[in-house]
Amino acid sequence: MISSEAAPFAKTGGLADVVGSLPSALRSFGDEVAVVIPRYGSIDLKNARRVWDNLPVHFGPVSYPVSIYQAPADYPVYLVDCPPLYDRKGFYGESGMDYPDNHIRFAVFCRAALGVARVLFRTDIFHCHDWQTGLVPAYLRTTFATDPTFLGCRTLFTIHNLGYQGLFPKTALAEVALDPAVYRPDGMEFFGRVSYLKAGIQFADALSTVSPTYAREIQTPEFGFGLDDCLRDRASVLNGILNGVDYAEWSPQTDPHIPAPYSAEDLGGKATCKRQLLEEFGLPAAGTDRPLLGMVSRFTRQKGTGILAEIAAQMVAEDVYLVALGEGDPEYEDFFLRMQQEHPGRIAARIGFDNGLAHRIEAGADIFLMPSHYEPCGLNQIYSLHYGTVPVVRATGGLDDTIEEGTGFKFAEYSGEALLAAVRAAVHAFADRESWQRMMRRGMSKDFSWKMSAAAYSALYRRLLAR
Ligand code: ADP
């Protein structure tokens, strides 16, 4: 698996959770997996082993010095080390600005990952995740098309979010030594630029995305980000496989991050989690009896901040409390800080990335809010189910596939009005404590572990190899 993120080494969102937990789940199907990620500055090499000293990547006259470390894990996790490219504050950029050399950073990464396959881990299937790895299938189809090392290898490209496309000027192709012939509408060309995401879509042997509904949605102009036509062309190899979750990480019975454990049989600890969460956010203890809404998210337009802004005042008027944790676009970070100022003692926000706090919000909130504009799969609503935190979600992508009447509240139209109606329905239902607890328990009994989804990936790998 080639990915720009993998938990616990590097994480900004759900991609990391998936790449961090799918490999172990695949083991039970006999699939041996290695994971390759960049060695960002934040990854400590203290316990890692240097396993390959010199695997330089040459793009014409320019050469990038690369070495490979192996991190301690249950399966091989290879870290591509090239300090001038990856030893920086961010993964993709800083202060809301992408790094200007991302086309080179992730091209070098893809080439280094192919190098890992050449010298360290014999590979049958390159399972590539998101635009940062889209050049793996492209190099295999062009530069290495006749290289005996890769004969018979197959590629699977998984789209975790079509909204991030790796778009660069056409001149990028020369800088990353790609055959100029790929600059065509059925190659990497995308409205006068090159798209690394489109490279993955066009050149991989098979495609997948992270929920059945999202697999359908991305073939429509509304959700296709301009790529719907090429996804429709590849519909016969496009699979929708719902993400699984790692309940070893996310279970209220065993979670070391939360102040009191609880379970469906004994919900007692959840009240402690709620009380302490209110306190942690500086909200009044009076909130204990009223619904506490939680959000954990990348603060971007995708996550529905726009419609939340429309209705924040009316929502608060329902006598509810909201805690939110996230980071992302400065515009949306400011929005949450403003909401906090406008509704002191009601809304409290934390800007930043804090895994422990994410767990405490899952445990301490009554209702989890995900009003996403679109959501390929979404993991937080699945964690919420397991923590007895009833999700209020927009019926899109994986949110629609995982939440049903009886386990949460869904709304269809992307509007403040529809969101408010769903929040009001949840607040109303919260008042009947017995039926609310039945709803919590129904959610807690759902099983979204990797079992089924890993089986689907394993079967897909096998189909690919049999081709
Ligand atoms: P996406 O991948 O679009 O960001 P998902 O719901 O699929 O959304 O996954 C988000 C993952 O990232 C979850 O594990 C969530 O807890 C975590 N996460 C997101 N933002 C933060 C944050 N600010 N602090 C801690 N964890 C976060």
Side-chain angles (χ1 to χ4, degrees):
M1 285 195 198
I2 307 172
S3 169
S4 61
E5 298 185 20
F9 305 100
K11 168 167 166 173
T12 66
L15 167 66
D17 287 357
V18 171
V19 180
S21 54
L22 176 56
S24 298
L26 282 165
R27 268 250 176 91
S28 48
F29 299 94
D31 297 316
E32 287 293 323
V33 181
V35 171
V36 189
I37 59 170
R39 188 254 146 176
Y40 302 109
S42 55
I43 300 179
D44 188 357
L45 288 178
K46 206 167 63 221
N47 297 313
R49 266 187 319 132
R50 194 175 167 102
V51 287
W52 204 268
D53 271 333
N54 191 17
L55 198 68
V57 171
H58 304 285
F59 290 153
V62 189
S63 169
Y64 297 90
V66 168
S67 51
I68 307 294
Y69 286 82
Q70 186 171 344
D74 293 342
Y75 45 86
V77 173
Y78 297 111
L79 310 172
V80 174
D81 190 41
C82 181
L85 295 182
Y86 311 124
D87 194 353
R88 302 181 186 178
K89 251 170 76 187
F91 298 167
Y92 314 117
E94 284 170 41
S95 320
M97 293 282 286
D98 287 343
Y99 292 126
D101 58 349
N102 274 349
H103 60 298
I104 292 175
R105 297 175 72 230
F106 290 103
V108 169
F109 172 58
C110 289
R111 287 285 291 266
L114 289 169
V116 168
R118 203 185 279 284
V119 297
L120 289 164
F121 189 88
R122 172 88 202 109
T123 302
D124 300 309
I125 304 261
F126 290 96
H127 186 168
C128 307
H129 298 267
D130 273 353
W131 74 261
Q132 294 86 351
T133 65
L135 293 195
V136 169
Y139 285 123
L140 286 172
R141 282 292 178 86
T142 54
T143 319
F144 301 118
T146 57
D147 189 317
T149 307
F150 302 117
L151 267 185
C153 289
R154 298 285 187 270
T155 50
L156 168 62
F157 184 68
T158 297
I159 299 164
H160 294 259
N161 193 329
L162 201 66
Y164 297 84
Q165 306 192 333
L167 291 176
F168 304 104
K170 185 184 170 189
T171 48
L173 290 179
E175 289 180 75
V176 301
L178 257 172
D179 184 342
V182 298
Y183 190 76
R184 52 175 205 269
D186 64 342
M188 287 177 66
E189 188 272 337
F190 187 70
F191 297 102
R193 292 196 279 177
V194 293
S195 161
Y196 281 23
L197 183 74
K198 192 171 173 188
I201 293 172
Q202 296 290 19
F203 295 121
D205 295 308
L207 306 176
S208 72
T209 186
V210 290
S211 69
T213 294
Y214 195 59
R216 287 190 298 275
E217 286 175 343
I218 57 177
Q219 298 179 54
T220 67
E222 190 189 349
F223 295 96
F225 285 96
L227 288 163
D228 44 296
D229 56 344
C230 67
L231 285 161
R232 281 194 303 275
D233 285 347
R234 303 225 65 205
S236 62
V237 296
L238 171 60
N239 304 269
I241 302 177
L242 195 70
N243 284 338
V245 302
D246 183 0
Y247 288 128
E249 260 307 299
W250 294 93
S251 279
Q253 294 96 315
T254 52
D255 191 331
H257 302 287
I258 67 175
Y262 61 92
S263 64
E265 293 70 45
D266 180 3
L267 290 167
K270 192 165 171 69
T272 309
C273 294
K274 180 174 179 180
R275 214 175 328 106
Q276 294 205 12
L277 184 64
L278 285 166
E279 202 178 298
E280 185 168 357
F281 273 92
L283 291 175
T288 320
D289 297 328
R290 295 298 304 161
L292 174 60
L293 280 60
M295 283 186 88
V296 178
S297 141
R298 287 179 299 107
F299 286 163
T300 60
R301 192 181 117 71
Q302 178 204 335
K303 299 296 181 177
T305 22
I307 57 174
L308 183 62
E310 286 173 28
I311 60 134
Q314 286 143 292
M315 200 175 73
V316 165
E318 295 292 320
D319 193 13
V320 302
Y321 296 81
L322 170 69
V323 294
L325 164 68
E327 62 179 0
D329 298 347
E331 175 189 348
Y332 295 108
E333 292 183 353
D334 289 347
F335 158 70
F336 275 97
L337 293 175
R338 235 181 9 256
M339 282 215 304
Q340 172 174 260
Q341 270 171 5
E342 284 166 14
H343 306 282
R346 284 285 173 179
I347 296 181
R350 281 286 158 74
I351 307 300
F353 194 92
D354 183 339
N355 183 47
L357 185 54
H359 283 248
R360 290 194 292 283
I361 292 175
E362 287 291 1
D366 299 300
I367 294 169
F368 201 89
L369 216 48
M370 285 181 83
S372 304
H373 185 234
Y374 72 94
E375 194 61 74
C377 177
L379 293 172
N380 281 308
Q381 83 282 12
I382 304 178
Y383 301 146
S384 299
L385 289 175
H386 208 56
Y387 281 76
T389 304
V390 175
V392 171
V393 305
R394 190 166 103 81
T396 181
L399 295 173
D400 202 16
D401 290 339
T402 52
I403 305 304
E404 54 194 87
E405 206 182 311
T407 61
F409 296 85
K410 291 204 265 198
F411 62 99
E413 191 187 275
Y414 186 69
S415 70
E417 213 174 311
L419 167 60
L420 185 62
V423 169
R424 283 186 173 143
V427 170
H428 183 72
F430 180 82
D432 180 344
R433 300 318 298 262
E434 263 179 38
S435 77
W436 185 261
Q437 288 202 351
R438 276 199 299 279
M439 193 166 195
M440 288 167 67
R441 290 199 171 95
R442 264 197 302 276
M444 293 176 94
S445 71
K446 295 282 164 192
D447 182 0
F448 288 102
S449 63
W450 270 111
K451 253 178 289 162
M452 301 267 284
S453 303
Y457 277 113
S458 186
L460 178 54
Y461 297 153
R462 270 153 236 277
R463 282 205 300 281
L464 273 172
L465 286 175
R467 265 213 227 147

